[in-house]
Amino acid sequence: MADDGGGRANETRTLILQILTGRWFTVFASFLVMAASGATYMFGLYSGTIKSSLGYDQTTLNLISFCKDWGANAGVIPGLIHELTPPSFVLAVGAVLNFSGYFMIWLAVSGKIPKPKVWQMCLYICIGANSQAFSNTATLVTCVKNFPASRGVVLGILKGYQGLSSAIITQIYHAVYGNHIKGLILLIASLPAALSFAFVSTIRLMNGSHQKEKEEQTVFYNFLYISLGLAGFLMIIIILEKLLNFTQIEFIGSGAIAVLLFFLQLAVVIKEEFNLRKLKKQAMDVHPNPEIPPPSPPSTTEESSSEKQISCLSNMFHPPERGEDYTIPQALLSIDMLVLILSAICGLGGSLTAVDNLGQIGVSLGYPIKSLSTFISLLSIWNYLGRVAAGSISESLLNKYKFPRPLMLTLILILSCLGHLLIAFNIKNSLYVASIIVGFCLGAQWALLHTIISELFGLKHYSTLFNFAGVASPLGSYLLNVRVTGHLYDKEAERKMAAMGIERKAGEELNCVGVECFRLAFIIVAGVSLFGSLVSFMLVIRTRKFYRTDIYKKFREEAEAVD
């Protein structure tokens, strides 16, 4: 009896160890890190505090916003670091950057340090936001390489949680700090860093799976259903918050339920690892002493790949077929990449302009202050839905009907124009609808951009390539947010002050009230987004033959060979 008890205890310990070191727990840890890494999408919630505490005008605030976007998407360095180091190192560096940058911002707005110069604030937020590029690289690249044949739904859920993170963090913030916005900045300095350090050794590259592609996708759809339930709960809470005045106790209750719903995914992890353990035991019973096969010779694809890369520079203008592993210069100089980047500059730049100015737009259009967190949460939830829809629906359409992903990107860019026009013309309560459309389109664009890059240029240098393409986002943000929106807002604010005979004092914030403040800017943004859709349609034409083929065939064959 004692031996039976000892055997069961050993089995339990072995199962727990298998769960904690398995591929599915790596996925869960990646979800958790991504669910706390979307602080950049909350800028509209705390930007007003930065503006009022430090006495900035809109152009200065938008310059800080641009530095945030630049930091969040300047991922070439983390991508190159990931080529040379394990994901754990990338994640640890990101955690340090997150705490350092946002903690300095908290010190500045709380008055605990002397008022920093504008360039210092730009540097602080750039450092803090750059942590997002590190966490993105560590989690996305790891999971895509661990599950290459399911990359569409994998990227959709991971990027979805990043989009949903601002709604999750908002609930936690209200539960912990009430309505103290400066406390929110401290929370986004500490929570993502703590989670990254907690899972620094968990998120890692692993060998081939013992599960078939359909089994893997079933598990990911289970994760997806839980995340949809969480998003639905948060949507209900947002509606209730709009109708009722929540006390801090009620926020604590809603925050606890949101965290509990998220952790339901652990049940999926435990179930899958238990099933895998059962399959291994059955295999051992049938073949108690399996012969170890001799090491397989290098595959012809690896040989040809190494031959092709003897001279990176000589092959720079002779790329392989679409879907094969491109070198970094081959991918960056390809027409497909240039078209993708140009469409991303137009689409992501326009969407980020709306996101970063959402708080100021709400104030200028006369919405109550309590509505600002509603806009941010709505945007966050629909950002999430855009990411998971673009990932899972595009994956399903591609598998069933060979529907090309670039065509879905084109349609999303056209839809985003509607959101920008709603902001420009301010139909009654249209900002709620605009938040939904802009959030959905922003999330969908990110998920599609990352997936298309992995499909066209291969996975070998994916960590660098998807980060390089992400630089298009801050470029678009600088042009449309700083140079267009911020400039036109300040010009209109100064015109209104002059008409009222008011003179702005030095160090005083510059505010504009009225639909004219953002109208012209967002008409321009809508036009640029429409141009981006035309550019992305060029990629549809260029890749139509590629997407008619079975683009994941080689990954299925490799998985079968491993099994």
Side-chain angles (χ1 to χ4, degrees), residues 317-395:
F317 299 103
H318 303 283
E321 295 292 320
R322 289 189 181 96
E324 299 299 323
D325 289 326
Y326 280 53
T327 64
I328 294 173
Q330 284 172 343
L332 297 186
L333 294 174
S334 72
I335 295 175
D336 291 347
M337 180 65 87
L338 295 176
V339 170
L340 261 179
I341 289 173
L342 183 55
S343 65
I345 288 173
C346 298
L348 291 172
S351 296
L352 281 172
T353 297
V355 171
D356 291 342
N357 287 284
L358 199 55
Q360 306 301 313
I361 293 168
V363 170
S364 71
L365 297 180
Y367 286 86
I369 296 297
K370 69 174 285 188
S371 293
L372 300 186
S373 63
T374 303
F375 296 141
I376 300 299
S377 295
L378 277 174
L379 186 141
S380 173
I381 289 169
W382 285 88
N383 187 351
Y384 154 79
L385 289 172
R387 291 169 193 242
V388 297
S392 56
I393 294 174
S394 68
E395 188 87 2

Side-chain angles (χ1 to χ4, degrees), residues 404-426:
R405 274 191 236 266
L407 181 54
M408 182 166 276
L409 179 61
T410 301
L411 298 174
I412 290 295
L413 286 170
I414 293 171
L415 178 61
S416 70
C417 298
L418 176 60
H420 301 318
L421 291 174
L422 285 173
I423 294 172
F425 292 103
N426 188 33

Side-chain angles (χ1 to χ4, degrees), residues 400-475:
K400 290 181 180 177
Y401 308 110
K402 303 299 180 187
F403 188 91
R405 274 191 236 266
L407 181 54
M408 182 166 276
L409 179 61
T410 301
L411 298 174
I412 290 295
L413 286 170
I414 293 171
L415 178 61
S416 70
C417 298
L418 176 60
H420 301 318
L421 291 174
L422 285 173
I423 294 172
F425 292 103
N426 188 33
I427 301 164
K428 186 178 179 182
N429 290 326
S430 62
L431 195 53
Y432 293 103
V433 181
S435 300
I436 290 170
I437 294 173
V438 170
F440 182 88
C441 292
L442 176 62
Q445 286 175 73
W446 275 123
L448 289 168
L449 180 68
H450 288 164
T451 310
I452 291 168
I453 288 170
S454 75
E455 289 169 344
L456 296 183
F457 307 111
L459 293 178
K460 186 168 185 180
H461 299 291
Y462 179 59
S463 60
T464 300
L465 295 179
F466 93 80
N467 277 309
F468 183 88
V471 173
S473 169
L475 286 176

Side-chain angles (χ1 to χ4, degrees), residues 510-528:
L510 182 60
N511 289 319
C512 178
V513 177
V515 68
E516 302 86 2
C517 302
F518 287 99
R519 173 174 286 171
L520 179 57
F522 275 90
I523 291 173
I524 294 170
V525 167
V528 171

Side-chain angles (χ1 to χ4, degrees), residues 177-423:
Y177 294 104
N179 290 307
H180 186 57
I181 292 288
K182 292 175 184 177
L184 171 64
I185 300 173
L186 183 60
L187 181 65
I188 61 179
S190 54
L191 181 61
L195 289 174
S196 292
F197 276 124
F199 293 105
V200 76
S201 61
T202 302
I203 297 172
R204 65 198 188 284
L205 295 170
M206 304 182 75
N207 294 326
S209 166
H210 295 281
Q211 291 172 289
K212 303 297 182 187
E213 181 187 347
K214 284 189 177 178
E215 294 172 350
E216 279 184 359
Q217 291 209 346
T218 300
V219 180
F220 280 114
Y221 277 105
N222 288 335
F223 287 134
L224 176 61
Y225 300 145
I226 293 171
S227 68
L228 286 170
L230 174 59
F233 169 76
L234 290 171
M235 179 68 88
I236 292 168
I237 290 298
I238 289 169
I239 294 168
L240 291 175
E241 287 171 9
K242 177 72 180 161
L243 298 174
L244 310 169
N245 284 320
F246 269 31
T247 64
Q248 192 163 1
I249 295 295
E250 288 163 334
F251 275 120
I252 290 171
S254 63
I257 294 171
V259 171
L260 181 63
L261 285 171
F262 183 92
F263 275 84
L264 276 179
Q265 293 170 116
L266 266 180
V268 178
V269 172
I270 293 167
K271 177 177 174 288
E272 289 308 311
E273 291 297 344
F274 183 77
N275 290 341
L276 282 172
R277 182 164 176 76
K278 240 165 71 173
L279 287 172
K280 285 179 185 176
K281 284 184 74 175
Q282 288 170 2
M284 288 296 292
D285 291 340
V286 176
H287 303 289
N289 295 305
E291 292 184 10
I292 300 172
S296 56
S299 67
T300 54
T301 56
E302 287 175 355
E303 287 174 1
S304 62
S305 177
S306 61
E307 287 171 10
K308 284 178 185 176
Q309 294 180 28
I310 290 171
S311 172
C312 180
L313 293 176
S314 65
N315 289 324
M316 189 183 299
F317 299 103
H318 303 283
E321 295 292 320
R322 289 189 181 96
E324 299 299 323
D325 289 326
Y326 280 53
T327 64
I328 294 173
Q330 284 172 343
L332 297 186
L333 294 174
S334 72
I335 295 175
D336 291 347
M337 180 65 87
L338 295 176
V339 170
L340 261 179
I341 289 173
L342 183 55
S343 65
I345 288 173
C346 298
L348 291 172
S351 296
L352 281 172
T353 297
V355 171
D356 291 342
N357 287 284
L358 199 55
Q360 306 301 313
I361 293 168
V363 170
S364 71
L365 297 180
Y367 286 86
I369 296 297
K370 69 174 285 188
S371 293
L372 300 186
S373 63
T374 303
F375 296 141
I376 300 299
S377 295
L378 277 174
L379 186 141
S380 173
I381 289 169
W382 285 88
N383 187 351
Y384 154 79
L385 289 172
R387 291 169 193 242
V388 297
S392 56
I393 294 174
S394 68
E395 188 87 2
S396 179
L397 291 174
L398 177 63
N399 290 332
K400 290 181 180 177
Y401 308 110
K402 303 299 180 187
F403 188 91
R405 274 191 236 266
L407 181 54
M408 182 166 276
L409 179 61
T410 301
L411 298 174
I412 290 295
L413 286 170
I414 293 171
L415 178 61
S416 70
C417 298
L418 176 60
H420 301 318
L421 291 174
L422 285 173
I423 294 172

